[in-house]
Amino acid sequence: MRAFDGTRHCPRNVDVVRFIAWVMRSIASDGAKAHSRREARAEKEPTDLRLVPRTGDAETFDVVSDRTPTIEDQLASSQESGRIKQAVLALFADDVTAETMVEGIMEGMDGEELRALTDLDKTAFASKRKLIRRRIDKAYPNGWKP
């Protein structure tokens, strides 16, 4: 919508599909940051919960630890996720279409959305998916190892 309503402008030297992919990534990033800010505010609450019996007997208090991740854990997870994304995207630096598809996959887009984004026919789309799978399997045969 931002591109269509005129708040985002596509530079003349940028492919429209690439521009839309960048806009979508930017919007997703904004949403993730807003979500992180909401969770950070929630983190300021106490991390231990105390179960207090109705009788008020101090000897029977139980302490239950809060299992929500700390802000440090969330930050470390976010940084690791960013490193993984950059490493995988680097595998496709020579192929803009494949890179766009990988970005879409990382953002949770399904097959039809990706096909529409890349403007590929079914055969070319299937070939590109196979190329993506093969490059990732070749680069990380045993999965991601930091």
Side-chain angles (χ1 to χ4, degrees):
M1 285 303 295
R2 293 178 189 182
F4 293 121
D5 70 11
T7 57
R8 294 277 179 125
H9 300 283
C10 180
R12 290 178 191 242
N13 61 341
V14 176
D15 179 53
V16 175
V17 172
R18 183 75 173 156
F19 168 74
I20 296 295
W22 286 345
V23 170
M24 289 173 23
R25 184 170 59 180
S26 173
I27 292 168
S29 175
D30 290 347
K33 287 177 187 174
H35 180 72
S36 294
R37 284 191 297 271
R38 282 192 300 274
E39 287 189 0
R41 282 194 300 268
E43 283 293 318
K44 293 180 181 178
E45 297 176 7
T47 57
D48 286 341
L49 304 174
R50 297 192 179 270
L51 301 177
V52 181
R54 290 179 185 245
T55 61
D57 185 6
E59 294 180 13
T60 61
F61 285 99
D62 291 329
V63 175
V64 179
S65 295
D66 187 7
R67 301 239 192 281
T68 58
T70 65
I71 193 71
E72 292 84 9
D73 293 338
Q74 291 174 355
L75 181 62
S77 176
S78 175
Q79 289 174 343
E80 180 65 12
S81 175
R83 282 192 294 270
I84 292 170
K85 285 181 180 181
Q86 290 304 317
V88 171
L89 287 174
L91 297 173
F92 304 99
D94 64 329
D95 188 341
V96 176
T97 305
E99 185 179 21
T100 302
M101 286 178 65
V102 170
E103 287 176 12
I105 292 167
M106 288 179 180
E107 296 300 326
M109 294 176 73
D110 67 13
E112 286 305 313
E113 288 177 306
L114 287 172
R115 247 179 33 89
L117 177 67
T118 57
D119 199 31
L120 295 174
D121 63 25
K122 288 185 179 188
T123 304
F125 182 76
S127 296
K128 200 59 79 169
R129 294 265 320 209
K130 188 181 289 187
L131 172 112
I132 290 169
R133 186 179 67 249
R134 286 181 177 168
R135 279 198 193 174
I136 292 173
D137 287 346
K138 183 178 179 183
Y140 305 104
N142 298 319
W144 176 257
K145 302 285 185 197

